[in-house]
Amino acid sequence: MEDKIKALKEKFKHLKIDKIEEEDPFTQEGEVPVIDTYYIISNFHGNKNISVTVSSESKLELLDKFLSNESVILDEYLGVKYQDKYEIVLSSISNHYMGPSSKKQKFEIILNYFKNELSIHLESNVENTPASDLYSLLYRFGSGKRNWIITIENFKRTSPDGLNNDLRNILNSVLFDFEYSFNLAYEPIELNSLNKRIPRLKRPALEVPAHPINFTYKKYIPELIQYYHLSEKVDYIPFKYLCYFHILEYFSDKSAYFVVAAQVKQLLLKPDFHLKTDNYIEQAINIFKKENEKHLTDKIKLTRVLQQFVNMHEFREYLDATKLLDHFQKEQIFNCYKPLKIPLLDFTNEVTFFQSLTNRVYAMRCSIVHSNPDFDETKAVPFVHTSENVISLNIEMALVYEISRNIVVKSSDTR
């Protein structure tokens, strides 16, 4: 295996190859640990951010075959350009039954796009083509479903918006029309989830001890646990963000109750309450009036939730431990239909901290939720799903992740 890897590097000098050696974590005491060796290969033509894990000679041979085709990996989708063709792997999102999975099907489509007379093929169970090989290389165990591939030929003239936008437009046009006409739905597999530039954010965790672990029983709110785990399951980064935000939103109105209850309780416990009853009742009425006015504003609701469950100093320590403090102390800009500016976090004092944290989280949430590109940009700039924006949003998720984690724990009951 080692010699074949060296031969591959010599044959394709542009490749970056990292050798990884890991001990089997389940080795019993006294046993000689088994060393698992594999290689992470990257720096391919076209898309420099994709990596392939090679742990067997069969996969190495497949990679050699793929590279020999001189295919260029696309930026946005799991697909390639080769011999003036574009091949893109599709995922079926239709429940429509099309017969045995062994049956090979092929549909031919003609489309005119910016003076390109495109010849397009939609085909199932495709084998031994660059796109199907790339699919096998990137998915270690396969998807469990037959693959579909769309091939675009005779695309010679790009529009002023560029290749990525052109491919997106062509795929949207063809696949939605196909779905509308025949109730067969497909979508291209995006490379965002496979993009090695999307960092695996560091999350604070303790090492599991060898001795017995003592936990205190806590009655958690089931819905919050479900939202929290759903976010872990969802691949689509904007939806992951919203799943965490749902935990914050759960207490949007409840926080008003806690604020009012705490303030009214303080009035009731005043030693002279029985002497100044009318005065204190008037104060209580004013508290209700004030909170009723705040109830109309989502940002004020969010601020109340953050003030109830987030500790400024602990939150700063979390960002520092995850090496993200510097990132969040700077304004970030997303390239959408209009520039989306996300304000910095200000740790000067608690007032500025909670205000800036509210503004940052709320701006990101509104951007994901709203889709009207002509919306007042002071209220929301709709999020545009590009690789760079998804990478940045993945980092932003560190805020709602930690906030939601604190809410789940601090809202639990030990009774």
Side-chain angles (χ1 to χ4, degrees):
M1 184 74 167
E2 184 80 28
D3 292 338
K4 292 186 177 181
I5 287 289
K6 289 180 180 178
L8 186 77
K9 176 64 176 174
E10 185 63 29
K11 185 176 179 181
F12 305 103
K13 299 184 184 300
H14 60 280
L15 293 179
K16 182 177 183 294
I17 302 178
D18 296 314
K19 181 178 181 181
I20 308 297
E21 295 182 323
E22 294 180 343
E23 287 189 5
D24 183 354
F26 301 104
T27 303
Q28 298 294 322
E29 185 176 352
E31 293 182 346
V32 178
V34 176
I35 305 298
D36 183 24
T37 303
Y38 59 94
Y39 302 85
I40 297 177
I41 302 176
S42 58
N43 200 38
F44 296 101
H45 288 316
N47 194 319
K48 303 295 183 184
N49 304 313
I50 291 300
S51 61
V52 171
T53 301
V54 174
S55 58
S56 66
E57 292 193 6
S58 60
K59 195 163 186 178
L60 183 61
E61 291 172 0
L62 180 61
L63 178 59
D64 191 336
K65 172 193 169 189
F66 173 78
L67 293 169
S68 299
N69 284 323
E70 298 183 354
S71 301
V72 178
I73 300 178
L74 301 179
D75 289 333
E76 301 289 339
Y77 303 116
L78 199 167
V80 299
K81 178 186 179 183
Y82 78 105
Q83 297 177 358
D84 296 326
K85 297 179 182 180
Y86 293 88
E87 277 190 358
I88 298 169
V89 181
L90 305 178
S91 173
S92 174
I93 52 175
S94 174
N95 293 323
H96 191 79
Y97 180 65
M98 293 190 64
S101 60
S102 60
K103 184 179 179 181
K104 189 176 181 67
Q105 295 168 301
K106 185 174 183 178
F107 307 98
E108 297 184 18
I109 300 163
I110 305 298
L111 182 74
N112 184 286
Y113 179 80
F114 280 88
K115 298 183 179 180
N116 292 280
E117 291 291 340
L118 302 180
S119 174
I120 299 174
H121 297 92
L122 181 61
E123 192 172 0
S124 68
N125 289 341
V126 180
E127 297 178 342
N128 298 318
T129 70
S132 64
D133 289 344
L134 179 62
Y135 178 79
S136 299
L137 287 167
L138 292 177
Y139 283 87
R140 185 175 180 183
F141 300 108
S143 66
K145 299 180 180 179
R146 55 176 172 166
N147 64 310
W148 284 81
I149 287 181
I150 188 169
T151 304
I152 303 171
E153 298 184 56
N154 202 35
F155 182 35
K156 299 176 181 178
R157 302 173 63 176
T158 58
S159 74
D161 293 328
L163 175 63
N164 289 336
N165 188 71
D166 287 339
L167 290 177
R168 187 180 303 113
N169 288 340
I170 294 169
L171 291 170
N172 285 340
S173 177
V174 171
L175 295 179
F176 188 78
D177 284 359
F178 194 82
E179 177 183 357
Y180 186 93
S181 301
F182 309 110
N183 195 26
L184 298 171
Y186 305 95
E187 64 180 3
I189 297 177
E190 297 190 359
L191 285 174
N192 287 321
S193 60
L194 303 173
N195 194 326
K196 76 172 187 178
R197 289 183 58 198
I198 295 183
R200 294 181 63 86
L201 298 180
K202 182 180 179 182
R203 293 179 174 181
L206 300 174
E207 289 188 10
V208 180
H211 57 74
I213 304 169
N214 291 320
F215 280 148
T216 300
Y217 168 74
K218 291 180 286 295
K219 186 178 181 180
Y220 288 109
I221 299 173
E223 294 89 341
L224 302 189
I225 298 289
Q226 290 172 359
Y227 286 137
Y228 190 82
H229 287 164
L230 183 60
S231 183
E232 293 297 310
K233 298 175 184 176
V234 171
D235 290 329
Y236 187 60
I237 301 296
F239 287 178
K240 289 176 78 74
Y241 191 98
L242 292 181
C243 288
Y244 285 130
F245 188 86
H246 281 157
I247 296 176
L248 283 68
E249 197 172 41
Y250 184 88
F251 285 96
S252 290
D253 293 326
K254 296 181 187 298
S255 287
Y257 164 80
F258 288 120
V259 170
V260 171
Q263 293 184 33
V264 172
K265 184 177 180 180
Q266 289 177 4
L267 294 177
L268 293 174
L269 294 177
K270 290 280 189 178
D272 59 349
F273 181 84
H274 63 292
L275 300 174
K276 299 180 180 180
T277 303
D278 291 342
N279 179 47
Y280 285 132
I281 289 177
E282 183 179 353
Q283 290 184 43
I285 291 173
N286 288 332
I287 290 172
F288 281 105
K289 284 183 177 179
K290 181 180 178 182
E291 290 304 322
N292 188 54
E293 292 172 358
K294 288 183 177 181
H295 183 77
L296 301 176
T297 309
D298 284 342
K299 286 184 74 173
I300 293 178
K301 291 181 184 180
L302 178 57
T303 301
R304 280 195 304 229
V305 175
L306 297 175
Q307 290 173 331
Q308 182 182 351
F309 292 105
V310 175
N311 179 286
M312 182 183 77
H313 300 292
E314 291 177 355
F315 203 78
R316 184 188 176 101
E317 289 176 0
Y318 155 73
L319 293 179
D320 191 37
T322 54
K323 304 187 185 304
L324 292 174
L325 182 60
D326 183 63
H327 172 87
F328 286 108
Q329 287 184 306
K330 297 176 182 176
E331 178 187 74
Q332 302 296 326
I333 299 178
F334 288 73
N335 294 315
C336 301
Y337 295 109
K338 301 172 184 176
L340 169 61
K341 296 182 180 180
I342 306 297
L344 58 81
L345 293 188
D346 186 348
F347 289 90
T348 303
N349 54 58
E350 289 199 347
V351 174
T352 59
F353 167 68
F354 285 112
Q355 182 180 7
S356 62
L357 182 59
T358 298
N359 290 340
R360 186 152 183 153
V361 171
Y362 190 71
M364 201 72 255
R365 172 261 181 196
C366 289
S367 176
I368 297 171
V369 169
H370 293 293
S371 61
N372 183 356
D374 299 319
F375 203 56
D376 183 355
E377 63 184 87
T378 61
K379 297 179 181 178
V381 176
F383 184 80
V384 175
H385 190 92
T386 64
S387 293
E388 293 304 318
N389 283 346
V390 168
I391 292 168
S392 298
L393 179 58
N394 188 59
I395 300 174
E396 288 298 316
M397 198 149 35
L399 292 184
V400 287
Y401 162 77
E402 180 64 11
I403 294 169
S404 62
R405 201 166 68 121
N406 276 283
I407 290 176
V408 172
V409 173
K410 293 180 181 180
S411 64
S412 64
D413 193 346
T414 55
R415 290 176 294 177

